[in-house]
Amino acid sequence: MGTTLFMGAITFLITVMLGHPWMRLLKHYRIGKQIRSEEPSSNQAKMGTLTMGGVLIVVPTVVLILVMYAYTRLAARIPVDFGGVVLVGRSLAVPIGVLVGFAVLGAIDDYMGVRGVRRGEGMRGRSKAVIQLVIS
């Protein structure tokens, strides 16, 4: 449990440090929410709201887990005693795969909503639900 909390804290710190530069980059490339004219006027306030924020959570999490996995596998030859505890094992392959799958789906949905054919809408709900079911 201590390793999990430590990795969560490191991911949080990385996310906080990269947050402002990431937002500047998104603003520079105008990657923000598009609002259709048919929608209520109350939704117009959301125009330009930045998307793709999930990258700030998913990338540091996956990188840290891969680093911990590599350390566990490669540094196993170095005599370091963790009380026989393996820091990261194969049991994380499925959750990380699902995390990356949903992150890619979210990125595609955001891209379709910003730059794709269905601007302002993103993916169709049914299509997204079927893909989520397959990933799950």
Side-chain angles (χ1 to χ4, degrees):
M1 178 154 153
T3 304
T4 305
L5 290 175
F6 177 71
M7 288 177 65
I10 296 296
T11 301
F12 173 76
L13 291 174
I14 291 171
T15 301
V16 169
M17 289 188 310
L18 295 178
H20 189 66
W22 180 250
M23 289 187 333
R24 274 191 286 141
L25 182 73
L26 293 176
K27 284 181 186 176
H28 176 71
Y29 287 107
R30 295 183 181 153
I31 300 177
K33 181 107 172 111
Q34 304 291 322
I35 304 296
R36 295 175 294 159
S37 58
E38 307 91 52
E39 291 189 22
S41 59
S42 60
N43 283 359
Q44 295 300 324
K46 297 179 184 177
M47 180 68 98
T49 301
L50 299 177
T51 60
M52 300 282 203
V55 170
L56 287 173
I57 299 296
V58 173
V59 170
T61 301
V62 171
V63 168
L64 278 175
I65 288 176
L66 290 176
V67 166
M68 294 292 284
Y69 181 78
Y71 175 78
T72 301
R73 296 294 171 220
L74 299 176
R77 297 181 182 143
I78 301 171
V80 178
D81 184 23
F82 287 108
V85 175
V86 176
L87 295 178
V88 179
R90 281 183 250 151
S91 62
L92 288 177
V94 172
I96 293 301
V98 171
L99 175 70
V100 169
F102 274 92
V104 169
L105 179 63
I108 292 169
D109 183 37
D110 284 349
Y111 181 79
M112 287 177 72
V114 174
R115 303 263 192 250
V117 177
R118 295 172 41 93
R119 272 198 186 154
E121 295 182 29
M123 292 180 109
R124 285 184 163 74
R126 289 181 182 167
S127 302
K128 194 181 337 181
V130 169
I131 296 170
Q132 287 174 344
L133 185 63
V134 169
I135 292 171
S136 296

